[in-house]
Amino acid sequence: MKKTRAYYEPWLRDYLRKRQPDLEPQLLAAIAAYDTIQEESRLDTGLLAPIVAAASSSRRPLYENATEFLGKLTGEYALARESVEKMAVDSRSHVRFNAILCLKKAMPLDFTLRIVRQGLRDKSANVRGKAADWAGRLRVSQVVPDLEAA
């Protein structure tokens, strides 16, 4: 069993399979893709697809885990950052919300600023609120004027 899968197995067994078994295949696909990316130190659209699909879900067990994977990948891979940027302009507000959840301190600052500022101007109050929350969590002081304007 691969590293990430082994880490998640107790939670899969004790929580997900009992409460939302229909989500397990999609989450396992994201976990397997993440493990492969980590082991092989390579990323392509095929490997990234199940992670982005899970990160774009409206179902919490999928998006909470997959946005963590995607966030870790964005620090190293431009393709992952491009995927988050696409999520940030998706027509569905929950996908735009989830794009903000992918942001991590280790990312390029210009990328983080772009996503947060876009979120602060979003038509959805939930997305705007999450962008403000994440700006604070990441201590992105450069967006204070944007927060005041919002």
Side-chain angles (χ1 to χ4, degrees):
M1 188 177 301
K2 293 184 178 185
K3 184 179 174 182
T4 307
R5 171 67 190 269
Y7 174 81
Y8 276 89
E9 188 55 40
W11 179 78
L12 291 167
R13 180 189 64 239
D14 298 336
Y15 178 81
L16 193 65
R17 287 183 192 133
K18 292 177 181 177
R19 291 175 179 84
Q20 297 176 322
D22 59 309
L23 300 182
E24 187 175 8
Q26 191 174 358
L27 184 56
L28 287 177
I31 290 170
Y34 182 74
D35 272 338
T36 300
I37 293 164
Q38 294 299 94
E39 288 173 4
E40 299 179 5
S41 297
R42 71 174 179 88
L43 180 66
D44 60 42
T45 55
L47 283 172
L48 193 56
I51 297 171
V52 172
S56 298
S57 175
S58 62
R59 310 279 301 273
R60 181 170 276 171
L62 290 177
Y63 77 73
E64 281 187 343
N65 292 294
T67 56
E68 186 68 24
F69 301 151
L70 193 51
K72 289 176 181 176
L73 296 172
T74 56
E76 190 174 344
Y77 298 102
L79 185 58
R81 289 189 296 274
E82 290 170 18
S83 295
V84 172
E85 288 190 284
K86 287 178 185 172
M87 288 173 63
V89 296
D90 193 278
S91 62
R92 299 164 293 173
S93 65
H94 75 271
V95 178
R96 297 190 308 273
F97 181 98
N98 295 356
I100 294 165
L101 296 178
C102 294
L103 298 176
K104 306 285 178 226
K105 285 187 179 189
M107 294 178 178
L109 181 60
D110 63 323
F111 173 77
T112 300
L113 289 173
R114 227 176 11 260
I115 301 297
V116 169
R117 285 179 171 143
Q118 190 171 323
L120 290 172
R121 294 187 307 269
D122 199 273
K123 59 187 173 188
S124 165
N126 285 339
V127 175
R128 291 192 308 271
K130 186 49 67 179
D133 173 40
W134 236 240
R137 287 181 191 220
L138 297 174
R139 303 207 184 281
V140 185
S141 59
Q142 294 89 333
V143 299
V144 170
D146 301 271
L147 283 166
E148 290 171 346

